Amino acid sequence: MKIHTISVPTPFYIGPVNVYLIAEDPITIIDTGPKTKEAVEALREGLRAHGFRVSDIRRIVLTHSHEDHCGLARSLRDEAKDAEVLVHEWETGHRHGSLEYQEHRALLVRAGVPDDEIEALRRMYEGVRQYADSFQEHEYGPLWDNGELELTSGTLRIVHTPGHTPGSCSFLREADRTVIAGDCVLKRITPNPVLSPDPLDPSKRFPSLAEYLVSLARLRSFAPTMVYGGHGGPVNDYEELFNRYIRAIQERQSQVIKLIPKDGASAWEVAQQMFPGADDVHRFLAVSEAVAHLDLAHIEGKLAYEISGAKDIYRSV
Ligand SMILES: [Zn+2]
Ligand SMILES: [Zn+2]
């Protein structure tokens, strides 16, 4: 099974996104790129280089529903006529639109984000949303953990790897222990565990970092020889990357714990100290990162938290 990488530009800080083409029946792409003219052109050019057109695509698989990964899914599906689109059921972004926004808003309030900042984040989010088309409930099929995607030369095993988002999935080719991992594994940066509602109970936060650690360990159990991430080059030494991630997470956790004053603090207050002067999308990612580490410290019994007014206040134990 040959996995071709097509690099597609994005208007985002992260830079180009990797679309993976598996050039055998049924012709499959994993992720799509954002909904921009530049991205469609790059994708067409990349397909053409391997002798294909958009109309040849039979299956569009999404690692997760961030705009840079899923943005073109609907227009590609329309152009390719009956191509199927597959995404994990827990990946609610771009499926329930406004409802999801309300749930996110509630989480930001609990994290102690001030009203004017929430409004600024909402405007920013509206700007980002234009880079993806939304899907209706009947327009996609589900990806299941341990399910299989069949191809001519073998199968790709679906591995649910939550953390970066609740429904993030990776794909394992057991024959040579190759993994396509979306934003679960990135060569140069530690992926951000994005603040999300828990798909099983949207009034709660998804325990993103705790889940992410489980996902990293699960990928490690496959002893992968090569991991293709959502951005940047492939990783041929997963063990080294795994250890680096774990160290980075532990260091960040002790930093976060030290930032908690005697009378406690909200995630927003911690984020302000961790990332002073963060701007643009980084303002949201800063809160996300603070919440993720505070919640993990709480799960591990290193911090306590209580609800004070509408806010969650973390305290030392
Ligand atoms: Zn992502
Ligand atoms: Zn990404």
Side-chain angles (χ1 to χ4, degrees):
M1 187 183 297
K2 186 93 183 88
I3 297 168
H4 301 290
T5 307
I6 301 174
S7 179
V8 170
T10 79
F12 306 120
Y13 176 80
I14 186 103
V17 63
N18 294 324
V19 172
Y20 294 105
L21 163 68
I22 302 168
E24 51 185 80
D25 282 335
I27 303 297
T28 298
I29 58 168
I30 298 185
D31 288 338
T32 68
K35 196 178 79 172
T36 65
K37 204 166 134 274
E38 294 76 16
V40 189
E41 276 167 15
L43 187 62
R44 283 191 205 288
E45 185 52 42
L47 290 170
R48 200 178 306 129
H50 298 290
F52 297 99
R53 287 184 294 207
V54 168
S55 54
D56 296 318
I57 299 171
R58 296 272 63 87
R59 183 158 63 189
I60 299 164
V61 180
L62 301 174
T63 59
H64 65 299
S65 65
H66 281 159
E67 290 75 10
D68 44 343
H69 297 260
C70 75
L72 287 169
R74 202 173 74 190
S75 60
L76 294 177
R77 183 207 57 171
D78 291 348
E79 187 173 339
K81 300 293 187 291
D82 54 357
E84 63 172 339
V85 178
L86 300 172
V87 63
H88 193 277
E89 298 250 289
W90 281 9
E91 205 56 19
T92 54
H94 294 287
R95 286 170 40 184
H96 309 297
S98 59
L99 170 65
E100 205 212 16
Y101 171 70
Q102 288 305 328
E103 291 164 354
H104 265 105
R105 188 176 197 289
L107 298 186
L108 291 171
V109 170
R110 282 186 53 188
V113 181
D115 284 348
D116 56 339
E117 181 65 19
I118 292 181
E119 181 51 25
L121 291 175
R122 186 191 63 79
R123 282 197 301 271
M124 194 183 66
Y125 182 59
E126 290 303 321
V128 170
R129 281 184 69 81
Q130 64 176 314
Y131 295 110
D133 283 318
S134 289
F135 272 89
Q136 299 302 315
E137 208 65 57
H138 61 278
E139 290 182 302
Y140 52 83
L143 290 172
W144 299 105
D145 186 46
N146 274 322
E148 287 183 342
L149 299 175
E150 283 180 34
L151 292 131
T152 316
S153 74
T155 59
L156 279 177
R157 185 163 138 205
I158 302 161
V159 187
H160 181 207
T161 42
H164 175 62
T165 62
S168 284
C169 281
S170 299
F171 304 91
L172 167 70
R173 183 175 180 249
E174 277 158 306
D176 60 4
R177 308 199 312 272
T178 297
V179 178
I180 297 171
D183 286 355
C184 183
V185 175
L186 300 175
K187 188 165 184 156
R188 300 202 186 284
I189 49 171
T190 313
N192 200 290
V194 179
L195 177 65
S196 309
D198 190 321
L200 300 177
D201 178 357
S203 69
K204 297 205 170 98
R205 283 189 292 272
F206 187 67
S208 56
L209 194 49
E211 292 279 347
Y212 184 55
L213 290 172
V214 174
S215 296
L216 288 176
R218 185 154 177 226
L219 288 183
R220 188 189 195 197
S221 73
F222 303 131
T225 55
M226 191 68 92
V227 184
Y228 295 94
H231 306 270
V235 171
N236 57 15
D237 188 352
Y238 181 77
E239 193 61 22
E240 187 275 330
L241 178 131
F242 175 85
N243 289 318
R244 184 153 47 86
Y245 277 9
I246 299 296
R247 269 200 311 278
I249 291 168
Q250 285 168 348
E251 275 165 28
R252 186 47 59 85
Q253 191 187 62
S254 19
Q255 186 194 354
V256 161
I257 291 172
K258 280 194 208 122
L259 287 173
I260 298 291
K262 256 201 155 45
D263 52 348
S266 69
W268 167 253
E269 288 158 347
V270 170
Q272 296 295 97
Q273 293 184 67
M274 278 164 81
F275 306 101
D279 65 351
D280 200 43
V281 71
H282 301 283
R283 297 213 301 264
F284 173 69
L285 295 179
V287 178
S288 226
E289 178 102 0
V291 171
H293 284 277
L294 291 164
D295 279 350
L296 181 66
H298 172 245
I299 289 167
E300 293 181 347
K302 297 171 187 166
L303 284 179
Y305 92 80
E306 62 191 38
I307 299 174
S308 161
K311 287 192 258 179
D312 291 341
I313 299 295
Y314 297 84
R315 294 185 195 284
S316 343
V317 285

